[in-house]
Amino acid sequence: MSQHKPNTFRAGPDAEGRFGIHGGRFVAETLMPLILKLEEAWKQAKTDADFIAEMDFYRKHYIGRPSPLFFARRITAHFGGARLYFKRDELNHTGAHKINNVLGQALLAKRMGKTKIIAETGAGQHGVATATACALFDMECDVFMGAEDVMRQKPNVDRMRLLGAQVHSVTSGTGTLKDAMNEALRFWVTHADSHFYIIGTAAGPHPYPAMVRDFQTIIGNEAKAQILEAEGRLPDAIVACIGGGSNAIGLFHPFLDDESVAIYGVEAAGRGIDSGAHAASLNGGRPGVLHGNRTYLLQNDDGQIQDAYSISAGLDYPGIGPEHAWLHESGRVNYVSATDQQALDAFALCSRLEGIIPALEPAHALGFIGTMIGDMDKEQIVIMNLCGRGDKDLEAVLPILEKQNKLSGKLL
Ligand SMILES: *Cc1c(COP(=O)(O)O)cnc(C)c1O
């Protein structure tokens, strides 16, 4: 654990793309020129008035931003503690926060003169968002998806194809997200001149973790302005679920230097951290190198990457963005976890009490909140990122809730 206390938590990464010892740029020689070009293009774009105006336009008229900040009155009453607000990024076009990042990278690709896009996807949400942006901007789209996931997530495969994307079924390894990302990186090495790689979370080689974060900080920037308007002060705590960590860093980053705000990142504990069947890279993994950056990873004693498990397909990545690894070691953010069952209970609770069916991913954040918010003072304020809607999860969730007698509505 690093004991130094920086006067800002928002300055990273350094010139080499490192957050403390994490992050960096571990890529094939042939990719280096391309990565450097991308870094330069991003550096210029992010302060360019035309690029900013274009982003603002699509955020407002295509994604539907700003998303509301909603006071969850009935859940607040249910737990009897702090006031809970939802940042409603599930209302975005395509149903989650991923489009915030995808539109940004697609516009950057356009600016760089690229018309061919590649992406990796696990559950298919990032693939759908990428295929959406490619349809919008008339770009060619190749999506790499593990063969196992192609079978498990057929509706998203159908969506991507309808939007015009080619979906590559990846059979290497265990045919899941980490293999899809390996394959996408391999493909990129041989098509580096023609293709732009849109990474779906705040991970990968520098500049991706910082760039994806910058596109997602719209969440935290809006939330901060909205809570100041609604309550006249900052929240006491903010909470988000963690897969690779993009929605979380998007909410957290604008609050990192606000000392009074406690920050919680919620990993998926699956069947429990001790069971080994989980996706908690910080709580149950250790540092290593994967997909171009150093970070915490799920690995066995020999350093082999272990497949992550969670009931939520969007959280089962065996790594985590490097900035979170650093925020964990610096102690600024508390990384906690919620099990499948806690997420399922929160999924049912949120649907029943607020009329909002959340995705299973943010249901983990709400599951954790349920363990602590009741002990907080009634005057305190908590903001949770409700980063996706749950329509995609009904098929997986309903049979379980039915079996557990937790479907409160009846078919008479
Ligand atoms: C993909 C996804 C996640 C996990 O990704 P992060 O990069 O950790 O945000 C979480 N929630 C939803 C709704 C998703 O689609």
Side-chain angles (χ1 to χ4, degrees):
M1 289 263 163
S2 144
Q3 294 303 316
H4 81 284
K5 194 168 178 298
N7 58 15
T8 175
F9 287 93
R10 304 187 65 195
D14 66 16
E16 272 77 54
R18 284 182 304 233
F19 298 93
I21 64 159
H22 298 285
R25 186 144 53 189
F26 298 82
V27 295
E29 254 339 278
T30 43
L31 276 185
M32 262 327 252
L34 196 85
I35 292 251
L36 292 172
K37 244 190 252 171
L38 169 64
E39 185 184 5
E40 189 51 39
W42 169 233
K43 224 184 333 197
Q44 288 180 7
K46 69 178 172 184
T47 54
D48 180 275
D50 290 343
F51 186 80
I52 293 168
E54 209 175 9
M55 280 297 304
D56 286 348
F57 175 87
Y58 285 104
R59 277 173 176 158
K60 180 169 178 200
H61 299 288
Y62 193 73
I63 298 180
R65 304 205 72 91
S67 67
L69 185 73
F70 177 72
F71 174 51
R73 186 179 56 85
R74 295 191 67 204
I75 292 188
T76 295
H78 174 83
F79 289 120
R83 297 162 64 76
L84 178 63
Y85 281 83
F86 289 150
K87 179 58 176 159
R88 297 207 47 202
D89 257 51
E90 100 281 7
L91 291 174
N92 295 336
H93 179 46
T94 68
H97 64 287
K98 290 206 169 70
I99 193 79
N100 299 329
N101 164 50
V102 165
L103 260 182
Q105 288 195 54
L107 284 172
L108 187 63
K110 193 152 83 77
R111 190 181 157 94
M112 292 174 76
K114 307 255 180 187
T115 57
K116 297 178 177 174
I117 300 293
I118 50 180
E120 85 294 336
T121 196
Q125 297 300 108
H126 175 59
V128 169
T130 304
T132 298
C134 288
L136 177 65
F137 297 128
D138 189 20
M139 290 166 154
E140 223 177 279
C141 184
D142 284 276
V143 178
F144 294 84
M145 187 169 187
E148 195 59 36
D149 289 332
V150 168
M151 282 194 315
R152 287 190 297 199
Q153 312 290 340
K154 181 153 183 310
N156 278 339
V157 174
D158 292 341
R159 282 185 191 104
M160 286 184 265
R161 293 181 58 208
L162 187 61
L163 291 160
Q166 314 290 331
V167 181
H168 300 245
S169 176
V170 176
T171 51
S172 57
T174 47
T176 56
L177 176 57
K178 73 172 191 330
D179 310 299
M181 196 156 175
N182 283 333
E183 195 57 34
L185 281 164
R186 259 199 296 273
F187 182 92
W188 199 30
V189 169
T190 52
H191 297 77
D193 287 331
S194 53
H195 285 65
F196 187 105
Y197 182 10
I198 298 188
I199 292 185
T201 190
H206 179 62
Y208 281 100
M211 180 171 68
V212 174
R213 173 199 70 199
D214 289 347
F215 286 130
Q216 292 292 2
T217 51
I218 186 73
I219 300 171
N221 286 332
E222 283 179 7
K224 200 172 195 175
Q226 289 167 322
I227 199 68
L228 288 174
E229 193 186 328
E231 296 273 1
R233 66 181 186 88
L234 292 175
D236 298 282
I238 57 177
V239 187
C241 65
I242 307 242
S246 71
N247 89 84
I249 201 70
L251 175 66
F252 297 170
H253 201 261
F255 291 96
L256 286 177
D257 288 339
D258 298 312
E259 268 182 57
S260 65
V261 180
I263 307 182
Y264 298 92
V266 184
E267 297 190 308
R271 301 193 181 96
I273 303 280
D274 294 339
S275 74
H278 62 78
S281 313
L282 288 176
N283 284 297
R286 55 202 164 79
V289 173
L290 180 72
H291 298 147
N293 70 113
R294 181 187 305 284
T295 187
Y296 281 73
L297 304 167
L298 300 181
Q299 41 191 322
N300 67 17
D301 292 341
D302 300 327
Q304 295 282 357
I305 301 304
Q306 274 184 320
D307 265 317
Y309 164 78
S310 166
I311 189 170
S312 158
L315 298 182
D316 64 2
Y317 180 60
I320 180 166
E323 191 162 11
H324 289 291
W326 174 74
L327 288 168
H328 167 65
E329 291 181 356
S330 69
R332 174 63 184 98
V333 176
N334 306 291
Y335 292 90
V336 295
S337 65
T339 62
D340 285 356
Q341 189 60 53
Q342 286 173 314
L344 283 165
D345 290 343
F347 185 97
L349 186 80
C350 188
S351 302
R352 184 73 184 87
L353 291 191
E354 299 293 347
I356 300 172
I357 301 173
L360 268 174
E361 293 88 353
H364 282 74
L366 186 57
F368 164 73
I369 285 171
T371 66
M372 49 80 92
I373 197 169
D375 297 329
M376 293 176 72
D377 192 279
K378 279 187 162 50
E379 302 308 309
Q380 290 187 298
I381 299 165
V382 177
I383 296 177
M384 182 192 105
N385 195 16
L386 215 175
C387 58
R389 62 172 185 239
D391 312 47
K392 67 181 178 63
D393 297 315
L394 293 188
E395 212 181 315
V397 168
L398 280 187
I400 305 175
L401 290 182
E402 187 103 66
K403 205 157 86 193
Q404 296 181 347
N405 283 322
K406 283 175 178 161
L407 266 187
S408 44
K410 304 267 180 289
L411 174 65
L412 299 174

